[in-house]
Amino acid sequence: MALPLFLLAHLWDRFDLGNRRALQGRGISIGPLRTHTTALVSGLLFIGIGVLFLLTDGTANLGGIIGIDADQRIQTIVGDVAASVSNTAVVFVLLVSAALVLGFRLLPRRHTRQTTGEREHEHNHG
């Protein structure tokens, strides 16, 4: 459930989406009502979710992508695989993964660009 949120947060920061004009919205007037387009879209989404909840008994009656039998088989297979892996192995893999990530993040990066001082030195002595 959280993976799409992490992906969205990463993309938001990477592409500076908060400063994109198309995503900032604008003030609008609907008759005597003055609002903002983001508030209007948010309100319509909440209304849509409320209607969905009313029509499906809180989404309990929504169908799934796969049937109940297939879902049960998948759960059984995943449970069997998870039971066959020891907790020690899982902790070991997580620790090694964390060490690798930290190692790559903390190691100084080699810069391929020359510094200004190196360029001046080469220019003067070259």
Side-chain angles (χ1 to χ4, degrees):
M1 280 180 16
L3 183 62
L5 296 175
F6 284 118
L7 180 62
L8 181 62
H10 173 73
L11 293 174
W12 193 270
D13 287 341
R14 181 171 176 92
F15 296 112
D16 197 24
L17 296 177
N19 290 325
R20 297 281 172 112
R21 191 161 177 85
L23 295 178
Q24 289 181 350
R26 297 173 187 80
I28 59 171
S29 295
I30 303 173
L33 177 68
R34 293 189 50 78
T35 188
H36 199 267
T37 54
T38 54
L40 182 64
V41 169
S42 299
L44 292 173
L45 284 173
F46 276 114
I47 290 170
I49 291 170
V51 169
L52 177 69
F53 269 54
L54 289 173
L55 296 176
T56 62
D57 295 327
T59 68
N61 290 333
L62 283 177
I65 297 172
I66 59 175
I68 294 172
D69 293 333
D71 186 45
Q72 182 64 38
R73 281 193 303 270
I74 292 170
Q75 285 185 25
T76 302
I77 292 169
V78 170
D80 292 344
V81 170
S84 69
V85 177
S86 72
N87 290 341
T88 306
V90 172
V91 170
F92 178 75
V93 168
L94 289 174
L95 287 175
V96 169
S97 299
L100 288 172
V101 168
L102 284 174
F104 283 114
R105 295 296 246 169
L106 296 178
L107 284 176
R109 294 188 177 144
R110 296 178 188 220
H111 296 285
T112 57
R113 296 181 184 170
Q114 292 179 331
T115 63
T116 306
E118 289 173 340
R119 274 184 258 146
E120 288 176 5
H121 179 73
E122 284 181 4
H123 179 69
N124 294 335
H125 296 13

